[in-house]
Amino acid sequence: MNVPAIQAQLLTKEYSNGRGCRDVTITVEKGEAFGFLGPNGAGKSTFVKMLAGLIRPTSGSAALFGHPIGTLAAKSKIGYLPELYRYQEWLSGEEVVRLHARLCNIEKSVADRRIPELLKEVGLGLRGRDRVKHYSKGMQQRLGLACALVNDPELVFLDEPSSALDPIGRMEVRTILERLKQRGITIFLNSHLLEDVEVLCDRMALLNNGEILRHGKVSEILNKRTSWHFKVGGFSPFLLSWLKNHTGLQISQAALDKNQDEEGIIVSSAIEGSTVWLEAEVESDEQVGWLNSLMIEQGLTLYEVSRKKERLEEWFLDAVSGLSHRGEQE
């Protein structure tokens, strides 16, 4: 029998201030990367803390790999990186990870081999010998990721794992998570960085005011297509028709300047040889490169190429549009 990594049924945590989450039912399969999205104050961290056994639910039930949440059997399967973390600043990074290894009852010989590998994997390397008080916030977040992985978990809960990192750091953490996924480790990702969810996750759910609003497969939500904008010179209506017929793609003329109307469609008719914006729906980045080369071959001058707003961002904003949000100030 294939037991899910996470099985939550009507899981609820009620607080006197109205926060928490209500009747959350989800299933996450082994080896799956699951994205958990929602506005600030939606109840995402509360839900993760229940699954990790840090707080008790008011009602409902949940199990990790068939073991009830909060039990030692369930906790032994997981690694957890909280959004808010503090480590002993008088210890070195290596000593912090070693402390977590001891708490997980990991043999010293195993810890001696694993800890340097982890510090290197998360991008700390020899800086693991420095005291935590000399770490930046991003370095402490990397240290937290090493602690979450020290027991070689089957399931990792990551609460905003890239929030303190610069773009290079976010890319490095994403690469680490992709390797974990390839190894069959289940990933439960709380993140406001929609790009991370779009690239990494198989399925996702959107939480608002403590309740699941939408859920589904990332591939179906994104529909495997996105729009790109191309600013081109030497425009010809004939070339636009040729591109559409030759590629079979949806390509239209659009404007991103003062000549556009509310729908983003060019108002004034383009004359031969003018500079215009074209919009194309593509299925892959390779098709973008193909379009670039075709335009140049046909004598167009390519000034700028940019991807339209993130597809997942559009889905997210559409889902929460017009709804109330508890937010951080309520």
Side-chain angles (χ1 to χ4, degrees), residues 2 18 36 50 63 124 136 139 169 176 195 208 254 259 271 281 289:
N2 187 22
F36 207 50
M50 283 192 287
L124 288 178
S136 66
M139 292 175 66
I176 294 171
E195 183 182 357
N208 186 61
N259 293 324
I271 61 174
E281 286 192 7

Side-chain angles (χ1 to χ4, degrees), residues 103-322:
L103 292 172
C104 293
N105 201 29
I106 297 174
E107 293 184 5
K108 185 178 182 303
S109 60
V110 176
D112 289 342
R113 182 188 73 252
R114 183 160 177 75
I115 290 173
E117 294 174 351
L118 279 174
L119 291 173
K120 181 179 179 181
E121 185 175 16
V122 300
L124 288 178
L126 295 179
R127 292 299 304 274
R129 299 173 183 174
D130 296 347
R131 296 187 186 278
V132 173
K133 67 180 179 181
H134 299 305
Y135 281 13
S136 66
K137 187 176 181 182
M139 292 175 66
Q140 290 191 46
Q141 197 154 31
R142 293 170 184 268
L143 178 62
L145 186 57
C147 292
L149 299 176
V150 71
N151 63 326
D152 197 17
E154 297 180 40
L155 165 64
V156 288
F157 291 108
L158 304 171
D159 202 347
E160 302 289 359
S162 303
S163 60
L165 302 176
D166 59 23
I168 294 177
R170 290 200 296 271
M171 181 184 67
E172 291 173 345
V173 168
R174 192 187 305 160
T175 300
I176 294 171
L177 298 183
E178 287 173 347
R179 287 201 296 265
L180 294 177
K181 184 179 177 182
Q182 290 171 3
R183 284 161 44 190
I185 295 175
T186 307
I187 298 171
F188 192 95
L189 178 64
N190 268 9
S191 180
H192 70 279
L193 299 174
L194 303 182
E195 183 182 357
D196 289 349
V197 175
E198 182 172 337
V199 171
L200 181 71
C201 294
D202 304 297
R203 291 191 303 123
M204 59 187 176
L206 174 60
L207 196 73
N208 186 61
N209 291 339
E211 298 179 345
I212 294 289
L213 192 62
R214 291 187 184 179
H215 61 86
K217 292 183 178 179
V218 174
S219 60
E220 293 178 354
I221 291 168
L222 301 181
N223 200 26
K224 298 183 180 179
R225 302 182 72 89
T226 188
S227 294
W228 285 73
H229 288 135
F230 304 81
K231 185 178 182 182
V232 297
F235 173 80
S236 165
F238 167 78
L239 284 176
L240 177 57
S241 298
W242 182 88
L243 282 171
K244 292 168 67 175
N245 294 332
H246 187 73
T247 63
L249 298 174
Q250 276 193 309
I251 305 174
S252 58
Q253 184 182 330
L256 302 180
D257 55 23
K258 61 183 179 182
N259 293 324
Q260 72 179 23
D261 63 11
E262 291 182 353
E263 298 300 322
I265 305 302
I266 196 164
V267 175
S268 58
S269 58
I271 61 174
E272 191 84 14
S274 63
T275 297
V276 300
W277 284 94
L278 299 179
E279 181 174 321
E281 286 192 7
V282 301
E283 296 181 354
S284 66
D285 291 350
E286 288 74 15
Q287 287 186 335
V288 176
W290 181 40
L291 273 177
N292 289 346
S293 63
L294 286 177
M295 291 178 188
I296 293 172
E297 287 174 5
Q298 296 302 313
L300 294 173
T301 302
L302 195 59
Y303 293 110
E304 185 178 337
V305 179
S306 60
R307 183 177 177 175
K308 212 177 170 185
K309 184 168 58 175
E310 293 291 339
R311 295 166 290 171
L312 186 53
E313 182 179 351
E314 294 174 343
W315 176 86
F316 182 97
L317 293 175
D318 176 67
V320 300
S321 177

Side-chain angles (χ1 to χ4, degrees), residues 78-93:
I78 69 173
Y80 174 52
L81 173 61
E83 181 181 12
L84 301 176
Y85 47 83
R86 289 182 65 89
Y87 302 110
Q88 299 86 344
E89 62 178 16
W90 59 89
L91 296 179
S92 68

